[in-house]
Amino acid sequence: MNTDGTTVINGGTFTTDAAGAAGVFSYGDGVTYISDATIKTQQDTSGGIHVAGGGTLYAWDLDVETNGQSSAAIRSDRGGGTMVVDGGTYTSDGVGSPAVYCTADIAINDATLTANGSEAVCIEGLNTLNLYDCDLTGNMSDDSQNDCTWNVIVYQSMSGDSEVGNGTFNMTGGSITAKNGGMFYTTNTECTFYLSDVDITYADENDYFLRCTGNNNQRGWGTSGSNGSQCTFTADEQDMTGDVIYDSISTLDFYMENGSTLTGAVVDDETYAGNGGDGYCNLYIDGNSKWVVTGDSTVTNLYSEGTIVDADGNTVSIVGTDGTVYVKGTSSYTVTVSSYSDKADMSGATDGGSFSDHAVEKIS
């Protein structure tokens, strides 16, 4: 554990077998540089590489394995910090142990990140995870305490582990695999997602591509009926499959640009919305992108310069809530909207940057 000054570690093997015993941990004013090392932790709450309290850790080409519960391979905790990880393999085997648990500013490049008993990524509150050319896999089990099962979650638990604010998940290149449940879930927070040219493998049931809703508060995540998510999602040169689900206590601005494709329905699901609210789902599609509609859909405001068809290539009808027929299609599916425009202002879309924005010089 490094709490003050600079520590440089080159090579070696680090093994722990006690609860709460992280492999390598930076806290406070501690700055740690670690490369070409092997780390293995056995017990609960024992992250592989770990920052908290504002600590800083830079890592290159590590081989990390954790086995306990609540033991993310790349872990941050209360007070946050900074982590930059370049290369390596990071594997968590325990329940509730994501490959990455993010309550910090974390950037990871060209790494293999695998959670064998948990979601792949968990981001809490005002924190950011940037992934570049990584291979990310999660395998979360169903749990009756959860409203759904997810592979990546951006949320606010209200535990005090992270400051309330916008959580960000950026992923450019590489791959993401879900072995169970839906892909992306956000609840009780503000958040931003950016995906660009990621190879996505879905679970067999593929419950949803994105779920942006409130929750039933079994885990204390906000107040029922007002714990939705305020989400901006940008797909850049990205193929996506699965439904996009939202509710009226959430806001969702969903941008598709540069040849992106969504194959799925957009669904308003009020299950966890209580008495409802003034939320919305706005969908923006640029001229090179396509929505392949797989079921009747509801969008608040639809702005599309692109293609909207069903899986057989039939044009989908777009009809206003007031009965206005904006597009009379030949498909059996209908998209119901409050408003429709054939012009799409993409200025609200986000960008994930590049690893060079975060990279530091390796110290040997």
Side-chain angles (χ1 to χ4, degrees), residues 290-310:
K290 179 190 293 186
W291 179 15
V292 180
V293 181
T294 60
D296 288 336
S297 297
T298 303
V299 176
T300 310
N301 300 302
L302 175 59
Y303 308 95
S304 177
E305 299 178 15
T307 302
I308 302 177
V309 295
D310 65 15

Side-chain angles (χ1 to χ4, degrees), residues 39-328:
I39 297 170
K40 185 173 184 177
T41 71
Q42 297 285 6
Q43 301 299 325
D44 295 348
T45 61
S46 301
I49 54 175
H50 191 176
V51 299
T56 301
L57 189 148
Y58 303 117
W60 293 265
D61 301 316
L62 305 183
D63 184 358
V64 175
E65 178 186 345
T66 65
N67 293 279
Q69 296 184 25
S70 301
S71 301
I74 298 174
R75 185 182 181 198
S76 51
D77 214 325
R78 190 166 299 192
T82 301
M83 303 179 82
V84 179
V85 177
D86 196 353
T89 300
Y90 300 82
T91 305
S92 63
D93 291 323
V95 175
S97 300
V100 183
Y101 180 75
C102 179
T103 59
D105 186 357
I106 301 176
I108 306 172
N109 180 62
D110 193 26
T112 300
L113 310 163
T114 305
N116 289 316
S118 175
E119 67 265 63
V121 164
C122 177
I123 301 173
E124 265 209 70
L126 184 62
N127 296 290
T128 299
L129 175 63
N130 296 287
L131 301 177
Y132 305 99
D133 296 318
C134 291
D135 293 321
L136 176 67
T137 301
N139 188 20
M140 182 179 178
S141 298
D142 299 333
D143 187 325
S144 61
Q145 283 191 294
N146 297 325
D147 303 323
C148 58
T149 303
W150 55 82
N151 198 43
V152 172
I153 185 171
V154 183
Y155 77 124
Q156 175 56 255
S157 73
M158 313 305 291
S159 67
D161 284 347
S162 65
E163 184 178 346
V164 173
N166 193 90
T168 300
F169 176 87
N170 294 327
M171 188 169 188
T172 300
S175 68
I176 183 168
T177 299
K179 294 190 174 181
N180 190 36
M183 187 58 68
F184 300 105
Y185 177 44
T186 176
T187 189
N188 195 44
T189 195
E190 301 172 14
C191 66
T192 302
F193 288 86
Y194 173 83
L195 287 185
S196 178
D197 195 26
V198 179
D199 183 9
I200 303 179
T201 300
Y202 303 91
D204 290 342
E205 64 276 15
N206 191 18
D207 297 338
Y208 50 84
F209 175 74
L210 170 66
R211 185 177 185 96
C212 174
T213 65
N215 66 85
N216 68 7
N217 200 37
Q218 284 198 66
R219 294 189 174 276
W221 296 349
T223 302
S224 295
S226 60
N227 54 9
S229 179
Q230 291 73 55
C231 178
T232 299
F233 192 106
T234 300
D236 182 358
E237 197 179 350
Q238 183 63 54
D239 288 333
M240 302 164 285
T241 300
D243 292 346
V244 172
I245 302 171
Y246 70 99
D247 62 19
S248 64
I249 61 170
S250 301
T251 63
L252 175 59
D253 289 292
F254 195 101
Y255 294 87
M256 296 168 55
E257 59 184 7
N258 298 324
S260 293
T261 300
L262 171 66
T263 302
V266 177
V267 180
D268 180 358
D269 181 348
E270 295 294 295
T271 302
Y272 305 112
N275 295 323
D278 298 323
Y280 61 81
C281 172
N282 293 338
L283 183 57
Y284 304 79
I285 307 173
D286 78 0
N288 296 314
S289 298
K290 179 190 293 186
W291 179 15
V292 180
V293 181
T294 60
D296 288 336
S297 297
T298 303
V299 176
T300 310
N301 300 302
L302 175 59
Y303 308 95
S304 177
E305 299 178 15
T307 302
I308 302 177
V309 295
D310 65 15
D312 295 322
N314 299 310
T315 304
V316 174
S317 294
I318 301 172
V319 179
T321 53
D322 62 358
T324 302
V325 178
Y326 295 104
V327 175
K328 183 173 179 57

